[in-house]
Amino acid sequence: MHIARRSLLGALGALGSLGAPAVLGAAGRASAAAPAGGPAAAALARRFPRHHDQVVFRTVPRRGGHDHFRVTGGTGRITVEGTTPAVQLTGFHHYLRQVAHAHLSWSGEQTGSLPARLPAVPAPLARTANAVHRFALNDTNDGYTGPYRGWDYWEREIDVLALHGFNEVLVYAGADAVHHRTFLRHGHHDDELRAWLPGPAHQPWWLMQNMASYGGPLSAALLERRAALARKIVRRLRELGMTPVLPGWFGTVPPGFAARNPGARTVPQGDWGGFPRPDWLDPRTPHFAAVARTYYAVQQELYGATSMYKMDLLHEGGTPGDVPVGTAARAVQQALRTAHPGATWAILGWQKNPRREILDAVDRSGMLVLDGVPDHYPAVTDREADWGGTPYAFGTIWNFGGHTALGANAPDWAALYHRWRTKPGSALRGIALMPEAADNNPAAFALFSDLAWTDGPVDLAAWFAAWPVQRYGGADAQAARAWDVLRRTAYGTTRADGWSEQADGLFGARPDLAVDRAASWSPRALRYDAAEFERALPALLAVAPALRTSTAYRYDLLDVARQCVSNRSRLLLPRLRAAYEDGDEERFGALAQQWLDWMDLLERLVATDERHLLGRWVADARAWGATAEERERLAADALSLLTVWGPRASADAGKLHDYANREWSGLVGGLYRLRWSTYFTELAAALAENREPRPVDWYALEDGWTRKPPALRTQPAGDVVRLARTVASRL
């Protein structure tokens, strides 16, 4: 389909506009008039309404291609110079943390104790970024963090990422509309395409060519709403001088593409986790180039052009068939560069990805590998050799599936990042913040962000000593004691054991007396001393009352108390097993009740925070539906991701059940408690009747609960301080 670009855009526009994108300047940023005072000032007014008029922002040129900021000024008269609006916000946030002892995060904030007039800067505060690329968000983020979040959420999320120094943000929202419009032009019908597109919760894996269709069909109205949200996201990123990283196209096609396009050649991709994978269009063919032209033209019409596109060719088991991988990679890069000359191809460093055949075939200077495992596997030591000098970003994935486990391999970040960045011939060009779900682990978020703005290696002892001052608003001996415990335990683990995340709790596991993890690919044991970790809770509870009023403090108190309760599951389960194997009915019954009592306490604890409410997750999904039927379908899409993940084949044989387990109100007291009480009842009956326990069809129980969940709380309830004290008294 050789259609001139101008006529193609006109033809696509005739299909029905989803709204015009911002007019783009040469640099790919919106050229529309900025709000009064500029984008950084507007962001400050959103987040700091009492103080924004005390700050002046000025734009300065880069130095040697590097972003930098400088903060100066007297009381109530702060001047922030920076290379972009986002960098200016980064400078202001560094000032807040280091001078004003305030902090804003994606998990709690401490701004209420700021004085009426912002404090003076004792000496100019200046930083230069040591990384050109400061990339944020995992491919899975749109699923595991919140597939049905709206603009209010995204507006804050973007501001927070800017305040923490990031300049490249992955945007998967709205990709469904691009594919829908693209394949309408290549022989497919509207209804079959909307059935092929998965529900929003599962779209990240469709974009990685792992699966399709599950959770759909999508309505035309939902496609429009998601495209409208995506336009707002990319527009705001550009206003702040940040790069929206959009999904590129590398050959995924709907079923029957070859039949609708004579001469096209597709390669079956087999199975992923129990799902049939979408077909791959041979990149050597003219049909590939034609679809790529349509895809990038449609995407640009909807969201504008950008300078970085994310693609994972043959991800997690994809098969090239008889297509030479290097030839395919060259065609993928050529299609991208034809549409967007000079654009960077971002690719995930994960398992065998990217294959060396890809890197050896393409222009490596036009690629960026987002390394997801440098703090995971100890065998990763030389990325220049692994990837032939391809530029890469030092990344982290501190949680998988959004597990609520607290902690990270912070010593690896401090030890490796500076050394790898400064070694002769280094190809390290950035950082990549890629937990599979965001909005958790605020200390890890801040520390990893600081890597790109720190001269020399990070001193972890000094960093964790300063953190509670910034987090709670002032110095406190008990807060310092608590965070020193956390530094040495949950944040003191390393990749030496081959893990980058902490162990998930067993309350969220499918019941078994020998179970040692809830998700199939989680650590089998705690990676730190649980008794030592517990010392952090009474210290946090003893923090001075004046420093306990912020959402930052209350979030941290909840997180530590929750983790203490979660860790009890690993202490109790061996005792339950021993009692059962001894045939001791009384002891088994008492321990089973203890287990359920801990679960009940955990349910009450997490119900105190709206970010830990399953009911909010489901209500957000329902809010996107236009009809009762659609609302229920979207709720099932969102809820299934956290429970069964997919159909039986995926949940059981594919081992995806509970991959996204998390200690949330409604899950702990709902599905998780139902499973364990069902199991204990059967084991108790087996003991009493001197027989083997009957097997339980866990998928049937889980799927039934997921399709028709009980009423779920949508508003927080209870006092986290009182409940944390209860936890401390029972440890």
Side-chain angles (χ1 to χ4, degrees), residues 456-489:
V458 172
D459 181 333
L460 289 180
W463 194 95
F464 277 96
W467 173 248
V469 180
Q470 302 166 4
R471 183 79 169 151
Y472 308 141
D476 181 273
Q478 294 293 341
R481 184 172 294 112
W483 276 99
D484 189 59
V485 170
L486 296 174
R487 173 184 67 84
R488 292 182 285 103
T489 54

Side-chain angles (χ1 to χ4, degrees), residues 413-435:
W413 303 348
L416 300 178
Y417 176 72
H418 176 72
R419 187 165 78 239
W420 289 4
R421 182 180 65 82
T422 58
K423 74 176 184 179
S426 174
L428 199 162
R429 298 291 183 269
I431 61 171
L433 182 83
M434 297 188 294

Side-chain angles (χ1 to χ4, degrees), residues 260-276:
R260 288 163 175 78
N261 294 270
R265 181 178 184 275
T266 57
V267 181
Q269 290 299 293
D271 177 273
W272 177 88
F275 286 97

Side-chain angles (χ1 to χ4, degrees), residues 576 579 584-595 680 684 687:
L576 274 159
D584 190 332
E585 295 181 51
E586 182 178 357
R587 182 158 55 99
F588 178 80
L591 287 168
Q593 189 58 54
Q594 280 188 43
W595 180 279
F680 290 150
L687 282 177

Side-chain angles (χ1 to χ4, degrees), residues 489 526-535 563-564 567-568:
T489 54
L526 283 180
R527 303 175 58 224
Y528 55 82
D529 185 330
E532 178 66 14
F533 178 92
E534 289 175 0
R535 294 175 57 196
Q563 192 67 55
C564 287
N567 290 351
R568 299 308 274 191

Side-chain angles (χ1 to χ4, degrees), residues 580-659:
Y580 182 81
E581 291 176 346
D582 290 345
D584 190 332
E585 295 181 51
E586 182 178 357
R587 182 158 55 99
F588 178 80
L591 287 168
Q593 189 58 54
Q594 280 188 43
W595 180 279
L596 296 176
D597 287 346
W598 277 111
M599 291 189 75
D600 291 342
L601 178 56
L602 180 57
E603 168 69 19
R604 295 197 301 274
L605 181 67
V606 293
T608 63
D609 181 69
E610 66 178 5
R611 291 156 292 196
H612 290 73
L613 300 182
L614 181 65
R616 290 293 297 272
W617 177 271
V618 175
D620 284 348
R622 285 198 172 105
W624 283 76
T627 66
E629 180 184 5
E630 186 176 31
R631 285 191 286 273
E632 292 309 305
R633 185 167 65 248
L634 299 181
D637 173 50
L639 192 51
S640 65
L641 188 71
L642 307 188
T643 56
V644 293
W645 213 102
R648 184 183 288 272
S650 302
D652 292 347
K655 300 181 180 180
L656 291 176
H657 70 86
D658 298 302
Y659 182 90

